């Protein structure tokens, strides 16, 4: 359906692709992977014709429709979320818009003199809308938005009033409703809660068209992709299998390439030693010449490219008492809406609680009550003895001083630390070389999250409270964080929609539902086995 043939592409001084080739065939589900900045978004833009390769060609079969979801959703406003989603569905959306305008005109007393004409036109347009199966389309649009966790009120409200994350969901719903022959999805799992993520997973598994996508959610990628295309060093390498298979195969290929490289290096060293030893002897001149020619003709094996792997180890934190945090008989309401009533909850040393619940259930509120960021209406909330808390909140990134560089930000937090220690800390969290001189205001969401986390973990707390810590983080940084937190000796309380993070780190689950709060011993994996669903909003 789409073929990339010997494409080369350069952005400024950065070479993205060198004679790279790959293809997307009918019905395939392909995961596109590679380091940040490798050219994943550029590849999508070339496939949609928004950019051209410098050399080579991108060919799309005649009649193939492409839907492209990107992180840049543009301006939205002035109509409902449902209307915005239906707008992506072609001619029927124009008819729906005229129908809505005529309905408004019929309800307008100032248009009473034109009412006969309006009613006649309304009948014609309504007939056309029915011909195009418009009423079914609206039903499908609502079903898609509901799958992405929209309430009826949000569907019918002005899309311009929604936050950036919810507008992303509207843009994604447009592509899903369109059902094109090919979907190109650039980070569709960003900004989705766990229920929406699982709904999207099921949708894409049942979708008959072709999909190529990027995602920083390992579990999501693993469940959708049956083929992986990797961008690395200017080339495109295709692996037949899911993400887990790709990781194993890539590691095996690296091992084999390293062994081949070492064998060749040993052989070359032996030949060079012979040449050096006998090059001055006339009796060995022909042998020396023969070996020199042989070496010139040998195609050199390159060593495997080493991916920069970042590792962070927790310095030992001071030990806390056994009781780390306690909520006793806590009530909390916002206006007329009760969030918690007579809540009893306790975190003990070495417990790792993940908090689960649908949007608006009160997960972040619970974390704020525990950290003292918000007070209960009644009841008591407090920390135990010798507790040193680290709190990663969603607004933490906004508190960075935009004019400070990454290094200055670390330095102002830890004035007693040496430059070497701070540079090592920055390196652990993906800031190497000139990156430490970037000003905080130009950092991406992921970079800001990494900087806040570096500052929080350097002076080690013994109680970590984390609200969606993996938002914006790429796969490599998530893996580093999971590895670091696996060895953390203290207590944890966290909210996350990343199933790998949940399964790897939790040993207790607190489920917040409209029926009340439920506590489960055992981590997320045991919770799924016991309840039969992966998130509180699902009943499978």
């Amino acid at each position: 359906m789409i073929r990339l043939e010997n494409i080369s592409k350069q952005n400024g001084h950065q070479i993205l692709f060198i004679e790279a080739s790959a293809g997307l065939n009918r019905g395939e589900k392909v995961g596109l992977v590679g380091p940040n900045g490798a050219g994943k978004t550029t590849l999508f833009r070339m496939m949609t014709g928004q950019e051209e390769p410098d050399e080579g060609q991108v060919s799309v079969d005649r009649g193939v429709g492409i839907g492209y979801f990107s992180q840049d959703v543009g301006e939205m406003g002035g109509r409902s979320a449902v209307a915005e989603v239906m707008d992506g569905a072609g001619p029927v959306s124009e008819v729906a818009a005229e129908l809505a305008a005529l309905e408004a005109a019929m309800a307008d007393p100032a248009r009473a003199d034109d009412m006969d004409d309006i009613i006649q036109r309304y009948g014609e347009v309504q007939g056309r809308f029915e011909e195009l199966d418009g009423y079914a389309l609206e039903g499908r649009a609502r079903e898609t938005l509901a799958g992405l966790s929209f309430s009826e009120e949000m569907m019918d409200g002005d899309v311009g009033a929604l936050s950036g994350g919810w507008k992303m969901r509207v843009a994604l719903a447009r592509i899903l409703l369109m059902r094109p022959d090919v979907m190109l999805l650039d980070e569709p799992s960003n900004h989705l809660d766990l229920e929406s993520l699982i709904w999207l997973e099921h949708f894409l598994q049942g979708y008959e068209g072709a999909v190529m996508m990027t995602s920083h959610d390992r579990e999501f990628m693993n469940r959708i992709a049956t083929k992986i295309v990797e961008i690395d060093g200017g080339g495109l390498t295709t692996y037949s299998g899911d993400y887990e298979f790709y990781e194993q195969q890539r590691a095996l290929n690296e091992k084999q390439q390293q062994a081949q490289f070492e064998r060749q290096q040993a052989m070359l060293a032996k030949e060079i030693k012979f040449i050096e030893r006998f090059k001055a002897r006339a009796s060995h001149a022909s042998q020396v010449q023969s070996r020199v020619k042989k070496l010139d003709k040998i195609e050199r094996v390159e060593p495997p490219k080493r991916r920069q792997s970042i590792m962070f180890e927790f310095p030992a934190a001071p030990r806390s008492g056994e009781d780390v945090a306690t909520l006793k008989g806590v009530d909390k309401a916002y206006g007329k809406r009760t969030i918690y009533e007579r809540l009893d909850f306790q975190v003990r040393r070495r417990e790792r609680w993940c908090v689960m619940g649908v949007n608006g259930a009160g997960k972040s509120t619970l974390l704020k009550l525990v950290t003292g960021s918000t007070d209960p209406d009644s009841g008591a909330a407090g920390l135990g003895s010798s507790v040193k808390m680290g709190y990663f909140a969603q607004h933490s990134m906004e508190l960075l001083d935009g004019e400070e560089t990454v290094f200055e930000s670390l330095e102002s937090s830890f004035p007693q630390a040496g430059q070497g220690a701070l540079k090592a800390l920055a390196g652990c969290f993906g800031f190497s070389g000139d990156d430490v001189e970037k000003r905080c205001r130009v950092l991406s969401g992921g970079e800001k999250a990494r900087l806040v986390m570096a500052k929080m973990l350097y002076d080690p707390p013994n109680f970590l409270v984390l609200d969606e810590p993996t938002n914006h983080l790429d796969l490599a940084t998530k893996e580093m964080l999971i590895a670091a937190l696996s060895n953390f000796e203290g207590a944890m309380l966290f909210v996350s929609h990343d199933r790998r993070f949940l399964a790897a780190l939790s040993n207790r689950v607190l489920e917040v539902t409209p029926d009340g709060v439920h506590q489960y011993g055992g981590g997320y994996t045991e919770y799924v086995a016991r309840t039969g669903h992966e998130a509180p909003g699902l009943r499978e």
Side-chain angles (χ1 to χ4, degrees), residues 509-522:
V509 175
L510 188 78
E511 184 188 53
V512 184
T513 73
D515 309 328
V517 175
H518 310 287
Q519 302 185 21
Y520 296 87

Side-chain angles (χ1 to χ4, degrees), residues 56-341:
Q57 65 174 19
V58 178
S59 52
V60 180
D61 288 350
R62 188 187 298 275
V64 167
I66 298 175
Y68 174 38
F69 169 75
S70 77
Q71 293 295 300
D72 182 15
V73 298
E75 289 299 313
M76 290 183 188
R79 53 184 169 179
S80 70
V82 170
E84 190 72 43
V85 170
M86 288 172 65
D87 187 50
V92 68
S93 62
E94 294 167 23
V95 179
E98 188 178 353
L99 207 57
L102 289 165
E103 284 169 357
M106 285 192 287
D108 184 357
R111 303 286 302 275
D113 294 346
D114 306 324
M115 200 54 67
D116 289 345
D117 291 340
I118 292 170
I119 289 169
Q120 183 182 343
R121 180 60 186 158
Y122 184 79
E124 292 166 3
V125 174
Q126 191 176 40
R128 177 67 179 142
F129 192 63
E130 285 172 358
E131 270 176 46
L132 292 169
D133 208 15
Y135 290 109
L137 184 75
E138 182 173 337
R140 277 177 45 218
R142 289 183 179 276
E143 190 182 322
T144 303
L145 286 168
L148 295 174
S149 298
F150 280 76
S151 64
E152 287 289 333
E153 188 181 348
M154 290 169 75
M155 291 181 203
D156 293 319
D158 186 345
V159 71
L162 297 175
S163 69
W166 286 99
K167 285 178 180 172
M168 288 264 191
R169 296 190 197 206
V170 171
L172 178 58
R174 281 177 67 142
I175 305 296
L176 301 181
L177 184 69
M178 191 193 300
R179 289 183 175 264
D181 303 302
V182 174
M183 283 191 202
L184 303 178
L185 306 176
D186 195 358
E187 293 292 349
S189 52
N190 271 8
H191 304 286
L192 296 186
D193 55 79
L194 192 46
E195 285 80 7
S196 303
L197 197 60
I198 292 166
W199 178 87
L200 179 60
E201 209 167 79
H202 291 162
F203 181 97
L204 293 177
Q205 284 166 345
Y207 174 61
E208 292 178 0
V211 176
M212 182 178 272
M213 66 173 192
T214 63
S215 177
H216 287 158
D217 188 304
R218 180 195 183 99
E219 192 66 32
F220 180 73
M221 179 82 87
N222 222 16
R223 294 187 187 194
I224 303 296
T226 54
K227 183 168 129 181
I228 299 292
V229 172
E230 179 191 48
I231 306 176
D232 194 21
L236 292 169
T237 308
T238 301
Y239 297 81
S240 295
D242 61 14
Y243 185 80
E244 203 166 302
F245 172 81
Y246 149 74
E247 277 199 316
Q248 292 166 354
Q249 194 60 45
R250 192 181 192 284
L252 182 63
N253 291 354
E254 278 188 5
K255 194 175 177 182
Q256 289 171 343
Q257 191 176 345
Q258 182 66 32
Q260 200 179 346
F261 171 73
E262 286 171 4
R263 280 196 302 273
Q264 190 183 69
Q265 289 299 303
M267 181 274 290
L268 291 173
K270 188 177 173 183
E271 293 295 314
I272 290 166
K273 190 176 178 183
F274 179 90
I275 292 165
E276 289 297 319
R277 185 176 174 190
F278 295 111
K279 66 182 178 184
R281 296 191 191 179
S283 58
H284 287 74
S286 62
Q287 285 174 282
V288 167
Q289 282 305 312
S290 168
R291 294 195 182 202
V292 168
K293 284 177 183 173
K294 179 182 159 189
L295 289 188
D296 286 343
K297 288 178 183 173
I298 287 175
E299 189 174 336
R300 297 294 197 265
V301 175
E302 294 292 324
K305 295 184 187 75
R306 294 287 177 209
R307 284 280 173 88
Q308 182 191 8
S309 57
I310 47 179
M311 287 303 297
F312 176 78
E313 288 186 9
F314 274 91
R319 179 173 166 152
S320 69
E322 287 301 313
D323 295 339
V324 174
T326 305
L327 300 180
K328 189 77 177 162
V330 163
D331 292 340
K332 186 66 185 176
Y334 290 109
K336 292 180 180 176
R337 187 162 161 261
T338 299
I339 308 292
Y340 292 110
E341 198 169 2

